[in-house]
Amino acid sequence: MHATVHAAMYATIHPLHHQPNADLGGLLPDGAQPIGTIVLAHADDQHGTAVAFWPDEAAARSADDRVYRVDESHGRATGRRPLFAQVTWLNGDGDPVRADAAERGGRDRIWPAVREVEGIVDVFALRSTDHRIVVVALTTATETHDEVRDAIFATELLPGEAPALLRDPDRITLARVLRAELPTAVRS
C-alpha cells in the first residue's frame, strides 16, 4: 500500500460521447495495443471515459496527442475487482507550478491520509506533458469516495504548501467501472 512511480508507464484518456460499454472497438487507432484499459460509465449522464495504458510514450502518442505519465498507488483493496471510480480533473490551464504543488500535496499529504481507507483498489495520478493532472480512483463501493473526501478535508497543509496553488478541481466525475484490465507492470 504505497505510491509507486512507473517510469515506463503512460496513459491516454478518451471521452466516450455515447452510452459506453466495455468494448473499445473503434476507440483506438487500428493496430493500437494498450497494455491495459479502464472503461467507465458516468453516473450523471450517458457518456463515459476510457483510459488506455501504454508501455512507453511513443506507443501512447500513436493513440492520442495528449499523453500522461502514470503514478500509481495500491489501496487496501488492491487485487479486488473495482466497481466504481472517481475521475478528478485538475489544473486545466496547465500551470506547471500548480501541477507540482498538486503532485506534492497528493503524494505527501493526501495519499498518507487516505491509503488505509477500506475499499480503495488503486489510484492512478496522471500528469500530461502540458501539466494537466487527472486522478482516477478505483474503488469497491461508492461510499469509499465519501470517506476519502472526509479524510482529505481533515488534513492540514504541509509546511511550505501554498493555499493559493491548491485550487478546487476543475471537474469531478463519478462512474461505474465497466472494464478494468490493469497492466501487469502496474501490479509490480
Side-chain angles (χ1 to χ4, degrees):
M1 292 178 282
H2 61 286
T4 308
V5 177
H6 299 281
M9 184 70 61
Y10 294 86
T12 53
I13 299 174
H14 308 273
L16 304 172
H17 301 292
H18 53 77
Q19 181 66 40
N21 58 46
D23 180 28
L24 292 175
L27 180 65
L28 300 173
D30 286 343
Q33 295 293 318
I35 58 174
T37 55
I38 299 170
V39 179
L40 307 172
H42 298 174
D44 60 351
D45 60 30
Q46 296 295 308
H47 299 107
T49 301
V51 179
F53 295 99
W54 306 93
D56 55 55
E57 190 171 359
R61 289 217 181 277
S62 73
D64 196 72
D65 290 335
R66 180 165 286 149
V67 173
Y68 297 83
R69 183 193 75 235
V70 177
D71 294 338
E72 190 257 351
S73 300
H74 299 294
R76 290 184 59 119
T78 196
R80 292 181 54 195
R81 181 175 179 256
L83 301 175
F84 301 96
Q86 178 173 302
V87 182
T88 305
W89 303 80
L90 303 161
N91 200 35
D93 62 359
D95 181 325
V97 174
R98 202 166 326 132
D100 290 344
E103 278 189 335
R104 178 182 179 233
R107 180 187 61 244
D108 298 341
R109 178 174 48 86
I110 294 172
W111 181 246
V114 303
R115 71 175 160 225
E116 296 301 320
V117 172
E118 199 63 50
I120 296 175
V121 176
D122 287 302
V123 177
F124 298 92
L126 313 176
R127 182 173 176 167
S128 66
T129 54
D130 60 355
H131 309 292
R132 272 105 175 132
I133 293 178
V134 180
V135 179
V136 181
L138 302 177
T139 65
T140 59
T142 57
E143 298 80 15
T144 303
H145 300 289
D146 295 331
E147 292 176 43
V148 166
R149 182 197 62 232
D150 294 346
I152 292 170
F153 287 155
T155 64
E156 293 185 20
L157 293 181
L158 299 169
E161 254 188 316
L165 295 176
L166 304 174
R167 296 190 180 162
D168 288 338
D170 299 324
R171 179 172 80 225
I172 297 174
T173 304
L174 296 174
R176 276 184 311 109
V177 176
L178 300 178
R179 176 183 189 154
E181 295 179 1
L182 304 179
T184 349
V186 170
R187 293 285 180 202
S188 62

